[in-house]
Amino acid sequence: MDKFLVYNSSLSGSVKISGSKNAALPIMAATLLTECKCILHNIPDLMDVRTMIKILEVLGKRIDFKNNTLIIRNCSNKAFIAPYNLVRTMRASFCCLGPLLGKRKKAKVALPGGCVIGPRPVDLHLKGLQSLGAQISIDKGYCLGKTKQLKGAHIYLGGAFGSSVLATANVLMAAVLADGETVIEHAACEPEIESLAIFLNKIGAKIQGHGSPIMRVKGVKKLSGCEFNNICDRIEVGTFIAASLATRSALTIKEVEVFHLTSVIDIARKIGAEIKINGRTLFIKPKQRLNPINITTLCYPGFPTDLQAQFMAALSFAKGISLITEKIYPDRFMHVGELNRMGAAIQRSGPHCIIEGKEKLFGAEIMASDLRASAALVIAGLAAQGKTEILRVYHIDRGYEKIENKLKKLGAKIVRKKQ
Ligand code: UD1
């Protein structure tokens, strides 16, 4: 296991954003819907992507991955089991269920279970697939599904916490090869879902309304292959924005899909950053003492839960009291205790955190608990006085491509060591 040693740093220069992990994973799963070759560009080289490659290989795909390009070919349509030893490391693998049912008419996919950010149910995935006529049962930790042929349906996919990104992906992928028309109401509007629909249309699906809460899918008999460019990672952009704010450093961020980041840019400006945009390049210059602010995480186009921890780290340096309300994962606060060990003053009450900004935080030995919390701790470490030692950084490798190299290029003092 690796750890990071992070020292107080001021950052400068420019950083290029990688392809989006959360867009790449469902698109990779979607290649199960076709026997034709698919070439995917701008795929980040991450542990989660490597895990999805292994799952697709088990499911009969032959895959080459070089220079951020994936070439996915079909060898066999027989396999239908996504095993627990792979699925347990990454929840996104559950979105093989929809394409397996749509194309191979049967699926056995391990249930992913909970994780440190709270309970992660899959009821919406199952409800949507059952509405399309799939017979679903749960046995010994696996979800078993079968169908003679899926049939289009009108599905309401809203849950207690709004729409679900991967449930929308699963149901959408199953619906493209179903007989007749499917309407998905309360579909997730996240850019990653929009991008999945664009990919599916490129291989022959007939989807309308993607990017909005009502999607219409006309089932087709067969899909082809294509060459596709993955979108850039909006969460990585937001992470560098939070790093810029916390360290009060001017940065240039390249390969930014600005329209995916409206809420984040709005919040960063309120916190006190001057932000200029030129095409796909974003320039950020924060003021020395940040403004406190209230943030509520919401489904897209609201402020993303995947940036809550990083912005909490930044707001720990604001002049005054901020409030963060987590509406997607009300228990996603594992980073609070670690930030407080560094001298932050954060009080949690249910889904709310009250953050009393401090002029300084101080390096400490702390523990990463999940992917985005790890990024928050790195940000706090860069802005804190002295040395911060972050244990269990394997979480960060799941979702950030070459993070310490990118940070080092910006002048960060960060070292990876064996734990
Ligand atoms: C995706 C992202 C994750 C992000 C999350 C919310 C990927 C690979 N992961 O995860 O990084 O944090 O969206 O933007 O894209 N829910 C249910 N029933 C379900 C499914 C979800 O109640 O069947 C609830 C969840 O517990 C949560 C909310 O819906 O409260 C949103 O979760 P969801 O959008 O499904 O998250 P994921 O798609 O798993």
Side-chain angles (χ1 to χ4, degrees):
M1 255 194 270
D2 291 353
K3 65 180 175 184
F4 278 152
L5 304 181
V6 184
Y7 301 84
N8 182 272
S9 311
S10 108
L11 310 179
S12 64
S14 77
V15 60
K16 187 168 164 256
I17 297 303
S18 297
S20 159
K21 164 181 91 73
N22 286 356
L25 296 172
I27 290 174
M28 289 171 72
T31 64
L32 290 166
L33 290 161
T34 177
E35 279 152 42
C36 300
K37 182 167 87 172
C38 294
I39 303 176
L40 309 176
H41 299 291
N42 199 29
I43 303 298
D45 192 352
L46 300 169
M47 251 157 64
D48 278 7
V49 167
R50 297 270 170 188
T51 304
M52 187 57 102
I53 290 175
K54 282 189 200 146
I55 292 172
L56 293 179
E57 283 171 343
V58 169
L59 292 171
K61 295 285 182 185
R62 183 156 60 81
I63 302 185
D64 293 310
F65 187 30
K66 247 191 242 151
N67 302 326
N68 297 104
T69 292
L70 271 174
I71 303 176
I72 305 181
R73 294 181 179 87
N74 212 54
C75 289
S76 148
N77 273 337
K78 288 204 183 108
F80 62 95
I81 303 175
Y84 179 64
N85 65 332
L86 294 172
V87 173
R88 79 186 159 82
T89 63
M90 183 184 73
R91 290 185 52 84
S93 36
F94 198 64
C95 65
C96 290
L97 184 60
L100 282 175
L101 275 169
K103 176 73 179 167
R104 301 186 186 177
K105 318 287 185 224
K106 55 182 176 177
K108 180 174 173 183
V109 180
L111 285 165
C115 69
V116 288
I117 69 176
R120 310 271 305 255
V122 291
D123 55 308
L124 296 172
H125 301 241
L126 305 188
K127 173 188 165 187
L129 295 170
Q130 280 167 330
S131 305
L132 294 172
Q135 283 172 267
I136 305 264
S137 56
I138 305 293
D139 187 36
K140 300 189 186 84
Y142 276 81
C143 174
L144 310 171
K146 61 178 180 182
T147 176
K148 283 208 178 81
Q149 169 61 31
L150 297 176
K151 292 199 170 41
H154 197 115
I155 305 165
Y156 178 75
L157 213 53
F161 297 94
S163 56
S164 159
V165 176
L166 290 178
T168 304
N170 244 334
V171 177
L172 177 66
M173 289 188 278
V176 292
L177 288 178
D179 282 345
E181 192 182 44
T182 298
V183 178
I184 307 174
E185 271 196 57
H186 215 318
C189 304
E190 270 70 5
E192 294 76 18
I193 293 297
E194 192 181 12
S195 182
L196 170 66
I198 294 170
F199 168 79
L200 290 168
N201 280 345
K202 209 166 174 193
I203 60 172
K206 290 202 159 61
I207 303 165
Q208 287 182 335
H210 36 295
S212 86
I214 302 182
M215 265 196 267
R216 286 174 198 280
V217 187
K218 277 204 180 105
V220 296
K221 294 275 176 246
K222 214 175 167 192
L223 296 166
S224 59
C226 77
E227 205 165 335
F228 188 78
N229 277 320
N230 187 31
I231 54 173
C232 287
D233 196 321
R234 64 191 170 103
I235 304 303
E236 193 189 355
V237 178
T239 301
F240 279 104
I241 290 178
S244 151
L245 290 168
T247 58
R248 267 69 38 98
S249 304
L251 291 183
T252 301
I253 309 177
K254 291 184 172 163
E255 295 308 326
V256 178
E257 323 252 0
V258 177
F259 295 112
H260 297 167
L261 282 146
T262 316
S263 64
V264 178
I265 291 171
D266 184 61
I267 291 282
R269 283 187 171 136
K270 285 183 184 147
I271 295 176
E274 197 185 307
I275 293 185
K276 286 189 187 139
I277 290 149
N278 182 5
R280 292 170 66 80
T281 303
L282 182 148
F283 306 91
I284 176 166
K285 191 174 170 212
K287 66 177 192 178
Q288 268 315 302
R289 202 70 215 271
L290 307 175
N291 305 322
I293 188 179
N294 293 351
I295 299 179
T296 301
T297 65
L298 293 165
C299 296
Y300 188 83
F303 188 87
T305 173
D306 283 354
L307 288 172
Q308 178 255 108
Q310 300 89 315
F311 273 68
M312 188 180 291
L315 288 173
S316 300
F317 296 93
K319 191 177 182 186
I321 292 175
S322 301
L323 175 69
I324 291 187
T325 303
E326 176 55 71
K327 288 243 174 142
I328 307 293
Y329 295 112
D331 289 321
R332 190 177 203 173
F333 289 123
M334 297 294 284
H335 42 285
V336 169
E338 305 303 298
L339 291 171
N340 282 344
R341 296 194 65 240
M342 300 175 73
I346 306 168
Q347 272 185 54
R348 179 185 166 190
S349 169
H352 309 285
C353 276
I354 298 160
I355 304 133
E356 189 193 326
K358 296 279 177 190
E359 221 161 303
K360 289 182 178 165
L361 298 194
F362 299 92
E365 238 183 300
I366 49 177
M367 184 100 80
S369 56
D370 71 77
L371 167 57
R372 307 303 172 185
S374 320
L377 299 183
V378 170
I379 290 169
L382 292 170
Q385 305 298 302
K387 177 171 100 175
T388 300
E389 202 166 327
I390 308 174
L391 308 178
R392 294 199 185 166
V393 295
Y394 60 86
H395 292 290
I396 212 165
D397 297 328
R398 284 189 40 219
Y400 289 93
E401 194 180 40
K402 304 185 189 114
I403 184 74
E404 76 260 38
N405 294 353
K406 288 188 183 184
L407 284 168
K408 272 184 195 157
K409 251 187 86 188
L410 296 174
K413 293 175 212 132
I414 177 167
V415 184
R416 185 186 284 262
K417 284 223 158 135
K418 289 269 166 253
Q419 214 166 287

